[in-house]
Structures are given as C-alpha cells and as structure tokens.
Amino acid sequence: GVHLGYLVFMLVSTLKDANIESEVHMDHLAGVLPNIAKLPDGARLLTEPGCSYIKQLIPQLKAASKARREGTALMLKNICLHRGEYPELMLKQGGIDFIPSIIQPLSGETPREGSDLVREGLAGAVQVLASTPDGLDALLAHDAHARLRTGYADEEHRPVLEAIEITADYFLASGRLPEEYHDKSDVGGYATAAVVDDDDDDVDAGDDDGPGMMLLGTNYRL
C-alpha cells in the first residue's frame, strides 16, 4: 500500500508540475498501473474504501503523455475484469468527473483520443460498468447511450466496437431508454435485448445484427 501511494503521488504531482522534464521523466510510471490492477490484491488496494487513488488518477486521462493515458485506461479495464465489487467501488471512488472522463474519449468529441489502447481500455471498463446497477445508472445519467453511439460511428478499432456493442445490449436490456428512441419501422427491428454473459471477460460482439448493433445502427434512433 505504501509503494502504491508513492507511485500515485509521483504521477499526480508531476502532472501538475511546471517542470516539463520532470513530467516526461515520470511518464513511464503509468505503465505499472495496469500490472498492479491485474492482481486481485492490486485491484483491492486501488479501490479500497477510504482511499482516493481512482479520483486522483482520473486526470491522467487528459495528460499530454500517451503513456499516462494508456496506463490509466488499461488500469481501469483490469480493475473491472475482476468483477465482483470492484467496478462499483471504482465508480464510487472516482468522484463526479469519473463517468464524463471515461466516456469523452469514446464519444468522438474533441479533443479526439488518438490512442487505440486508451479507447480499448475505457470501452472495456464501460462495458463492465454497464452490467452493474450503479454503473448503468451513472452511464445513463450522463447520456452514455447517445454519446457512445456518436463515437461508434467513426470508430475503427475492433475491440472498441465490440465493447460498445455489448454495452448497447445492456442499455437495451435495462428497458430504461425512452420509447421515442426505438425505430421499429425498419426491416429487422429488434424485439428484445440479448442476454450477455457476465462471466465472460472477453469482449464478444455476437451476431452483427443483434440488439446492440441495432442500437448503434439504423434500427435504433438515438
């Protein structure tokens, strides 16, 4: 715990540091975060109640350094892959800027996120969060269904596309999207949402014409 606290301190303090050479020198430290989060004990420490590691690290997603953005995004994904209580603990500790910060790079909005790894990590985290009650509430409260659809239209990295498609399935399965969003006039309009296997850590798009695709394509109007 002490070593993790020092690592977070070094990343946070140098992000705000006016000494550019110092910031660049510490960029590589972000690469350690995903490895820590892969371990159950690491995910536990990162999301431990009373700590603020997630909230402190979220601003790294806006760093000029690609290494910092990638390390932070992949850390969030790896925490979520442990499932259980970790995704919602991460959400609670992330603060009010957490959901907007992880959705913006996937939305296609400016400034556009150019790193495939950043978008892949965040899309994986969003997919798991959408499978949890609190995560789904938070995502829908920030119009993630509409913003992800916009980003999906211009996305080319397949792992990101697949994660967004599965996230769309969760949105549909919730039954909480406004009726006016449905466009059942198109041929092949959906009737029910697919069941997503929460125990499957791999992102799997399933059928290309499944409910998630309909949310993101012409059969679903957002």
Side-chain angles (χ1 to χ4, degrees):
V2 174
H3 297 295
L4 177 59
Y6 182 71
L7 171 64
V8 172
F9 170 77
M10 293 302 295
L11 285 169
V12 172
S13 63
T14 54
L15 182 65
K16 299 177 180 180
D17 201 325
N19 184 345
I20 301 301
E21 291 184 1
S22 174
E23 181 175 341
V24 172
H25 179 68
M26 296 298 174
D27 287 351
H28 68 283
L29 294 178
V32 180
L33 295 173
N35 294 328
I36 294 175
K38 278 185 179 180
L39 302 172
D41 285 346
R44 178 182 57 79
L45 287 172
L46 284 164
T47 60
E48 190 172 8
C51 294
S52 59
Y53 293 141
I54 302 300
K55 184 176 182 179
Q56 292 181 64
L57 289 169
I58 283 299
Q60 303 291 326
L61 292 173
K62 297 181 180 180
S65 163
K66 184 171 71 170
R68 287 175 181 251
R69 301 196 313 275
E70 290 178 348
T72 303
L74 293 174
M75 173 197 71
L76 297 176
K77 177 182 178 180
N78 287 346
I79 289 174
C80 285
L81 291 181
H82 290 287
R83 305 274 180 178
E85 62 181 349
Y86 293 119
E88 292 195 338
L89 284 173
M90 182 179 72
L91 175 65
K92 291 176 182 177
Q93 291 195 33
I96 60 174
D97 293 328
F98 179 75
I99 292 295
S101 295
I102 65 174
I103 289 298
Q104 193 280 330
L106 301 172
S107 67
E109 301 164 0
T110 54
R112 298 182 67 87
E113 175 53 66
S115 168
D116 289 347
L117 281 179
V118 172
R119 300 194 312 280
E120 181 177 338
L122 295 179
V126 167
Q127 174 190 324
V128 176
L129 284 169
S131 72
T132 69
D134 288 350
L136 182 65
D137 287 346
L139 289 167
L140 292 179
H142 287 87
D143 295 325
H145 53 288
R147 298 178 70 191
L148 290 178
R149 183 179 190 271
T150 301
Y152 182 92
D154 295 326
E155 183 59 61
E156 297 180 352
H157 189 49
R158 189 61 198 169
V160 178
L161 293 171
E162 292 173 347
I164 295 177
E165 288 162 15
I166 294 177
T167 301
D169 285 340
Y170 284 120
F171 291 155
L172 285 166
S174 74
R176 293 168 54 188
L177 298 181
E179 180 63 25
E180 60 266 23
Y181 281 24
H182 296 252
D183 185 359
K184 298 181 180 179
S185 62
D186 291 329
V187 175
Y190 75 93
T192 58
V195 175
V196 180
D197 184 358
D198 287 342
D199 294 329
D200 185 2
D201 288 344
D202 294 330
V203 178
D204 183 5
D207 294 337
D208 286 343
D209 57 353
M213 287 295 291
M214 292 176 187
L215 183 153
L216 300 158
T218 59
N219 288 325
Y220 203 88
R221 182 166 53 221
L222 291 179

